[in-house]
Amino acid sequence: MHPTLSATLAAFRPAGPPGAEVRERRRRLADFVRSCEDRVHHAPASERQRMRELLGWDDASLHRFINSPMLVHSSTHVAMNAFAPMLTFPWFCLRLMTRGEAGTDAGGASHLRTLLTHNNLSDNRWKPHVWWRRDTRGRLVRVPLFSKQPRFKHQILLAQPVPDIDPDEPGMTDTDREALHLARHATNYAYFAMLYRLALERRAGLHLPHATVEIPLDLMNVHSLDRRSLPLWREAMYDHRLTLRVIGDDLELREADRAEAARLPAPDPHDARTTLICPNYLNLWHSYRLGLSATIGTERMAGYEAAMADTLAPFLDRIGESEPFPQFLGMSKVDLDAVAPLPEGLLAELREAGGRPSFPLYLATHGERLLPALDRMLSDAPRAHADVLTRRLPEPVAP
């Protein structure tokens, strides 16, 4: 008999209470994000606490993050849209935290999400140049956000302005209106889309209260490459063929050679344009060094994640760091049509508009019923609705 998806998720074990060094890393990161809130948003004082609770930068969320024995991690690209299977990552993280059960007590578990904000406008997996939503009549609305002209397509989202979207325009659903009122305080498009999606996910019940900390990947880079750490990391990187990327005057990412990198100052935490971006493996290491219990990804990540240890070993030896790699949950597909189908009329409109089923459409269609619909996958075998790949901690040896 095949195990259920619930049993598969329940087999992921907590890494345990963080040691002193890891706890201190988490604490420094928590202090850092609170010190540079103005980089991400300009919410007025009256909405500052609400914004902190949305991001997980409030005292309760950060305290839980610092001390969590079960820290799960996800890192998808940012955009106004989110497509399967990536749109289900918050749900999978939620159920990893609750050990596979559809309950609410996560026993101190926490979700660290590091959305990738340096993707560009030609990111076809997320289509950030356009937004698909439903209006109050249930009809599809296609909202163009940025030009698709070739000279713009490689510009990164972190360097784009906040779109001119009126949250109160006729036909806007209450859910979208509420999310946009918060997101409009963002300082650029990447953070705008991040806040919008997070608000929708919170509305859908995909995050436990005070149990998700959202730290965009550019901020993870800035924190790791501060004035104290940058010289050592930079030398170790270029000694081992790992290259920093910078945001050029054309708003595109480009690689910096060793000579240029040696002249670069540490990035300014308050100025996103000064961000230095590490290679992909190191971008994952920013989170791995925080003592993760589990990380989640797609089939692409499954293809390279296992090779990271050998690639990073000489770099980590040079900077004097070593943390166990977390358990891994990967997936190549999730069949949402089986548990949360969209109306055929809406799908026909999507096909005509060149769109794909996206998280805002699922939430607008199912509302508070979306979480119970996803939870129905727990009682079936994993392959009934999702192709998953797991790498778990070995079972402890009995004394």
Side-chain angles (χ1 to χ4, degrees), residues 121-396:
L121 291 172
S122 65
D123 184 351
N124 286 328
R125 217 175 191 198
W126 294 86
K127 299 188 182 300
H129 66 281
V130 68
W131 170 40
W132 288 282
R133 66 175 180 87
R134 290 189 75 176
D135 64 17
T136 51
R137 296 180 301 165
R139 297 294 302 274
L140 178 72
V141 180
R142 182 184 185 277
V143 184
L145 301 175
F146 294 96
S147 172
K148 292 192 69 178
Q149 294 183 25
R151 65 191 181 96
F152 294 115
K153 68 178 184 177
H154 294 301
Q155 292 187 359
I156 63 170
L157 307 192
L158 193 64
Q160 303 305 312
V162 171
D164 183 17
I165 301 174
D166 180 5
D168 297 312
E169 71 175 64
M172 192 75 72
T173 64
D174 290 342
T175 300
D176 280 335
R177 181 181 297 111
E178 180 183 4
L180 291 171
H181 270 292
L182 291 171
R184 65 179 174 168
H185 298 305
T187 57
N188 59 54
Y189 173 53
Y191 298 153
F192 175 87
M194 175 184 74
L195 292 168
Y196 168 78
R197 191 197 306 175
L198 183 56
L200 262 58
E201 291 169 349
R202 292 287 180 115
R203 183 70 174 261
L206 300 180
H207 300 271
L208 295 173
H210 305 294
T212 295
V213 175
E214 185 90 59
I215 306 180
L217 194 50
D218 58 284
L219 266 183
M220 296 290 283
N221 274 276
V222 172
H223 176 67
S224 294
L225 301 174
D226 63 10
R227 191 177 310 164
R228 179 187 60 182
S229 302
L230 177 59
L232 176 59
W233 278 54
R234 178 172 52 204
E235 289 302 307
M237 286 175 63
Y238 281 86
D239 281 350
H240 297 95
R241 300 181 180 179
L242 299 169
T243 305
L244 285 170
R245 289 168 288 172
V246 299
I247 303 173
D249 293 337
D250 57 2
L251 308 185
E252 298 180 11
L253 274 188
R254 61 174 178 80
E255 292 189 346
D257 63 26
R258 186 164 195 154
E260 180 185 5
R263 299 190 298 268
L264 293 171
D268 181 349
H270 303 281
D271 184 359
R273 290 286 297 277
T274 69
T275 303
L276 306 178
I277 301 294
C278 289
N280 192 38
Y281 285 4
L282 280 185
N283 283 333
L284 284 171
W285 181 253
H286 297 315
S287 300
Y288 283 17
R289 66 200 295 260
L290 299 173
L292 303 180
S293 295
T295 192
I296 187 170
T298 65
E299 77 283 1
R300 291 184 181 182
M301 187 173 172
Y304 64 73
E305 199 267 350
M308 280 179 52
D310 291 339
T311 302
L312 290 182
F315 168 83
L316 298 178
D317 184 64
R318 178 76 174 275
I319 68 172
E321 290 191 9
S322 177
E323 287 296 327
F325 274 43
Q327 301 161 106
F328 178 70
L329 175 66
M331 63 198 66
S332 60
K333 74 175 184 66
V334 175
D335 183 10
L336 289 181
D337 290 339
V339 293
L342 294 178
E344 183 53 43
L346 181 64
L347 293 174
E349 289 183 274
L350 266 177
R351 287 191 292 269
E352 184 176 349
R356 290 155 51 199
S358 176
F359 178 68
L361 302 178
Y362 284 104
L363 182 59
T365 299
H366 295 282
E368 63 183 15
R369 302 185 306 275
L370 182 59
L371 179 58
L374 293 173
D375 281 341
R376 286 199 289 271
M377 294 193 292
L378 292 170
S379 59
D380 294 326
R383 291 191 67 87
H385 303 295
D387 285 343
V388 300
L389 169 72
T390 63
R391 190 186 70 248
R392 298 190 297 271
L393 293 176
E395 296 296 326

